[in-house]
Amino acid sequence: MSDDIKTLDDLNALAGGDAPAEEAAAPAREPVRDELGRAYATGKRKDAVARVWLKPGSGKITVNGREMEKYFARPVLQMILRQPFEVAGVSGEFDVMATVKGGGLSGQAGAVKHGISKALQLYEPSLRPALKAAGFLTRDSRVVERKKYGKPKARKSFQFSKR
């Protein structure tokens, strides 16, 4: 028996699967939208959690009821929020309404970016490969390490002296 099967093709023929390519083709994803035509997603980064609603519009981004330029005053944070649209090639086509809680401004910007990316791929599934390749759909799981008992910080130790 072992000398009959020498290649993967022989094994595949023995298993009876001559058409693995047809089975491997993933079914087309359907757009996920609510009754108002919006896509909703939750984005997370550090301790920040963002709830993001995305709908077709003029490119206006609102965070916690304020304009993006007012809430995220630093240009770097504004650039982070625009990245998913630029990678997907849909700049200025969607309005974003986001609420974000927890963490600092940097973590909140990352959370809104993650939420925008997830909402974009739910609204238009054809944008998923570009967003996935850029790494925007993966939640950045790095968080602050907890403080340990008997230490001043997470890893820092008090000065050691032999005498």
Side-chain angles (χ1 to χ4, degrees):
M1 177 76 183
S2 63
D3 26 5
D4 293 340
I5 303 170
K6 296 194 188 233
T7 65
L8 287 175
D9 294 332
D10 296 340
L11 182 64
N12 194 19
L14 184 68
D18 286 339
E22 294 157 12
E23 294 173 11
R29 293 178 182 265
E30 292 292 322
V32 180
R33 300 177 192 150
D34 64 6
E35 60 278 353
L36 299 175
R38 304 175 302 184
Y40 169 79
T42 304
K44 296 181 180 181
R45 171 79 174 97
K46 293 187 178 181
D47 274 341
V49 179
R51 299 182 303 159
V52 177
W53 289 268
L54 189 86
K55 65 179 183 178
S58 59
K60 182 176 151 192
I61 300 176
T62 309
V63 181
N64 288 351
R66 293 158 61 187
E67 295 293 321
M68 174 187 64
E69 290 78 16
K70 292 220 181 352
Y71 194 85
F72 295 113
R74 283 186 268 163
V76 173
L77 300 179
Q78 295 173 20
M79 180 197 72
I80 287 173
L81 263 59
R82 290 190 192 105
Q83 280 179 335
F85 298 112
E86 292 166 1
V87 166
V90 292
S91 297
E93 294 181 24
F94 292 97
D95 286 346
V96 175
M97 202 280 285
T99 59
V100 61
K101 291 182 181 178
L105 282 179
S106 175
Q108 288 185 349
V112 173
K113 170 182 149 180
H114 185 227
I116 289 172
S117 302
K118 286 172 62 175
L120 265 175
Q121 67 100 22
L122 287 173
Y123 190 88
E124 187 57 55
S126 63
L127 302 177
R128 183 178 169 81
L131 294 167
K132 182 85 171 159
F136 293 162
L137 298 178
T138 306
R139 191 245 200 257
D140 190 349
S141 61
R142 296 176 295 168
V143 292
V144 177
E145 189 175 348
R146 77 171 188 88
K147 182 193 173 299
K148 312 301 185 302
Y149 169 75
K151 297 202 173 243
K153 290 169 66 174
R155 296 186 181 210
K156 185 175 182 177
S157 295
F158 296 108
Q159 181 175 346
F160 177 77
S161 172
K162 197 155 189 172
R163 296 171 222 237

